[in-house]
Amino acid sequence: MTDNVTIIRLTAAETAEKIASGELTAVQVAEAHLARIEAVDEKVHAFLHVDREGALAQARAVDEKRERGEKLGPLAGVPLALKDIFTTEGIPTTVGSKILEGWIPPYDATLTKRLKAADVVILGKTNMDEFAMGSSTENSAYGPTGNPWDLTKIPGGSGGGSSAALASFQAPLAIGTDTGGSIRQPAAVTGTVGVKPTYGAVSRYGMVAFSSSLDQGGPCARTVLDAALLHEVIAGHDPLDSTSIDAPVPPVVEAARNGSVEGMRVGVVKQFRGEGYQAGVIQRFDESVALLKELGAEIVELDCPSFDLALSAYYLIAPSECSSNLARFDGLRYGLRVGDDGSNSAEAVTSLTREAGFGPEVKRRIMLGTYALSSGYYDAYYGSAQKVRTLITRDFEKAFEQVDVIVSPTTPTTAFAIGERADDPMAMYLADLCTIPTNLAGNAAMSLPCGLAPEDNLPVGLQIIAPALKDDRLYKVGAAVEAAFVERWGHPLIEEAPSL
């Protein structure tokens, strides 16, 4: 009989194999993770809603399939933590906001449907910055999530609940969304793996919109192979999403199983280092570049001058799109409604609802975006930001004429203390300095652990960036780096995991 401690430390691939062989039942696996959630999540606060009954019902269905002799999929019976931005029929979807508190969607997002069709067991919905606006999960209306490495530190954002669930062994798989780095930055600071697929590769249907030209769902895991297996489940064309790419899913699992950088050209961008970068982060990054060279890669120095403008462009484009997308939350159709006592007009009810339902960061971005789109300012602000976006895309195109992938630190620093940047929005925004250019261009990117910073013993992330629709390159390089790190130093999460 395998004990719960052993079960929760298995990779997703190992878990699926043991369920398929009958060595473990899906119910055993689900119960082990539900017990872990019950034991530690009061301290971590990774979950906003745990669907115990639903998870066990899904697990029982997997066990019944196996007993009938039906072939199980590569992730059948494996538990997953789902970011609370994807609609889930019958259980709450709040997007970390009071304005949707208690809202139970009548339908599943396409991504949710694909997870269920693959027999992945959804444990519940994870905490996040409200409407995915933030880099620390402190903007959640339901309180912050702690980083399992040090509960006084942030787990990244906006998907800090998903990354914390992985790092605390509450789930072997998770789903995040990435608008400016919200999958990769949490992965970096929690010692996990997070992938932003090519824009349009994973359906956005049923994903509550923040910034429609930037938002992208993606896989989160503790190993590169596990992320690839999940990527293959959730990716693919969806006619319900007008931005969905009608193209085959790149062979990501095959790439993860055959990791190699031999003969590859790897770019290092000079704009991704300098003032504001923690010494330990740069040290681990330089070691990673040296490792890539040892493994047979050719290192190419790159100059991408427009990347210095990415942060400014992003914080005009994203708030502009958010001010448009969040206009639907009017208190009249669904969600919170305030002041509807017969004495207020519809406009007054909408105003009162938004005042009570939206948090400070969401209000800040709505006001920024509305201003940038207003008459007389559109060309000066939003129009100029879109021109910068084009320059960034061209810099990437030129870079990928010279190299196969680009590498950089994922974040300039390790996890900072909860509350440390709460009153300094600019310092908070700088957490996404390395991740934002990829979202603006629509490329694919991954963060994976590359050790611990010597000054604070907290995880550091290595970012790998690939051209659009070349997501398999992420996994090929990521798997090679991961294998080399495990062989030489041990996996930073599995070997030195924090105890809760």
Side-chain angles (χ1 to χ4, degrees):
M1 189 76 173
T2 309
D3 65 275
N4 283 359
V5 173
T6 303
I7 290 172
I8 64 171
R9 286 182 174 266
L10 295 171
T11 67
E14 290 167 343
T15 301
E17 285 171 13
K18 289 181 183 294
I19 291 170
S21 70
E23 189 177 334
L24 288 173
T25 67
V27 168
Q28 265 182 288
V29 172
E31 285 178 337
H33 287 90
L34 289 165
R36 177 67 172 174
I37 292 168
E38 196 171 327
V40 305
D41 202 50
E42 192 175 339
K43 290 184 276 187
V44 178
H45 191 39
F47 285 88
L48 291 179
H49 177 81
V50 178
D51 184 23
R52 183 180 180 85
E53 287 183 16
L56 290 173
Q58 287 177 284
R60 280 193 291 272
V62 172
D63 289 336
E64 288 165 8
K65 272 189 177 182
R66 192 186 64 78
E67 286 166 13
R68 291 194 298 267
E70 294 181 32
K71 184 173 170 58
L72 299 180
L75 289 177
V78 180
L80 175 139
L82 181 60
K83 188 176 182 180
D84 198 27
I85 196 169
F86 289 95
T87 57
T88 41
E89 184 179 358
I91 64 171
T93 299
T94 69
V95 205
S97 179
K98 289 289 183 187
I99 210 159
L100 281 179
E101 186 170 21
W103 181 59
I104 298 178
Y107 70 103
D108 278 332
T110 295
L111 180 142
T112 310
K113 282 183 181 175
R114 288 180 175 172
L115 291 171
K116 290 179 177 178
D119 291 319
V120 174
V121 174
I122 300 171
L123 295 170
K125 310 295 285 294
T126 56
N127 197 16
M128 57 181 285
D129 285 301
E130 184 180 5
F131 283 95
M133 298 180 196
S135 304
S136 65
T137 313
E138 292 171 281
N139 293 331
S140 170
Y142 305 99
T145 296
N147 188 325
W149 288 84
D150 178 345
L151 292 173
T152 69
K153 307 286 188 183
I154 59 101
S158 63
S162 288
S163 65
L166 293 171
S168 56
F169 295 92
Q170 297 184 64
L173 295 173
I175 293 289
T177 61
D178 197 305
T179 305
S182 292
I183 288 174
R184 289 162 288 155
Q185 186 251 5
V189 300
T190 57
T192 56
V193 177
V195 178
K196 185 204 90 68
T198 297
Y199 177 78
V202 175
S203 174
R204 292 189 301 111
Y205 179 77
M207 185 177 102
V208 181
F210 158 21
S211 180
S212 300
S213 74
L214 299 165
D215 297 341
Q216 184 59 70
C220 310
R222 290 194 292 262
T223 71
V224 171
L225 175 59
D226 285 357
L229 290 165
L230 183 54
H231 187 138
E232 201 165 72
V233 165
I234 62 175
H237 180 243
D238 178 16
L240 297 175
D241 174 6
S242 63
T243 61
S244 176
I245 298 171
D246 191 0
V249 178
V252 292
V253 173
E254 181 187 334
R257 293 192 191 278
N258 298 286
S260 171
V261 296
E262 186 71 42
M264 292 185 78
R265 295 164 301 160
V266 175
V268 177
V269 179
K270 76 174 189 179
Q271 281 77 13
F272 284 148
R273 64 190 301 144
E275 189 180 343
Y277 284 76
Q278 188 175 320
V281 169
I282 293 298
Q283 180 183 333
R284 293 293 177 245
F285 173 67
D286 288 342
E287 289 169 358
S288 300
V289 172
L291 177 63
L292 285 163
K293 196 170 181 179
E294 277 182 51
L295 294 173
E298 178 191 346
I299 307 301
V300 180
E301 297 287 334
L302 297 171
D303 184 10
C304 299
S306 65
F307 286 12
D308 286 337
L309 303 172
L311 197 68
S312 301
Y314 175 87
Y315 278 104
L316 283 166
I317 293 168
S320 296
E321 294 185 4
C322 117
S323 77
S324 174
N325 278 323
L326 270 61
R328 73 192 68 180
F329 298 96
D330 54 13
L332 303 179
R333 288 168 286 188
Y334 47 76
L336 182 70
R337 183 181 298 173
V338 176
D340 186 20
D341 57 5
S343 66
N344 292 304
S345 65
E347 290 82 1
V349 168
T350 295
S351 180
L352 289 166
T353 299
R354 288 172 175 166
E355 169 59 31
F358 289 142
E361 182 61 26
V362 172
K363 289 174 183 172
R364 178 186 291 120
R365 296 199 195 191
I366 289 172
M367 288 189 287
L368 269 172
T370 305
Y371 180 77
L373 292 174
S374 61
S375 177
Y377 296 100
Y378 181 95
D379 288 333
Y381 292 107
Y382 184 74
S384 297
Q386 290 289 16
K387 289 174 184 174
V388 169
R389 185 178 195 169
T390 300
L391 294 176
I392 290 165
T393 303
R394 286 176 183 166
D395 269 0
F396 269 120
E397 287 169 355
K398 287 176 191 170
F400 286 126
E401 288 172 4
Q402 302 173 63
V403 299
D404 299 301
V405 295
I406 294 167
V407 294
S408 77
T410 308
T411 57
T413 69
T414 56
F416 49 89
I418 293 172
E420 183 182 313
R421 302 185 187 180
D423 299 322
D424 189 348
M426 192 60 201
M428 187 74 80
Y429 297 165
L430 287 169
D432 297 330
L433 200 60
C434 302
T435 53
I436 279 173
T438 310
N439 294 85
L440 291 169
N443 298 328
M446 167 190 286
S447 178
L448 74 158
C450 63
L452 306 176
E455 59 265 64
D456 54 23
N457 221 35
L458 291 173
V460 176
L462 172 69
Q463 179 175 225
I464 307 165
I465 305 170
L469 295 176
K470 302 295 183 186
D471 303 49
D472 50 315
R473 291 186 192 174
L474 303 176
Y475 292 96
K476 189 178 180 186
V477 175
V481 171
E482 180 183 70
F485 268 112
V486 171
E487 184 183 339
R488 295 181 189 202
W489 301 297
H491 192 290
L493 179 61
I494 293 170
E495 298 300 321
E496 302 180 55
S499 57
L500 291 170

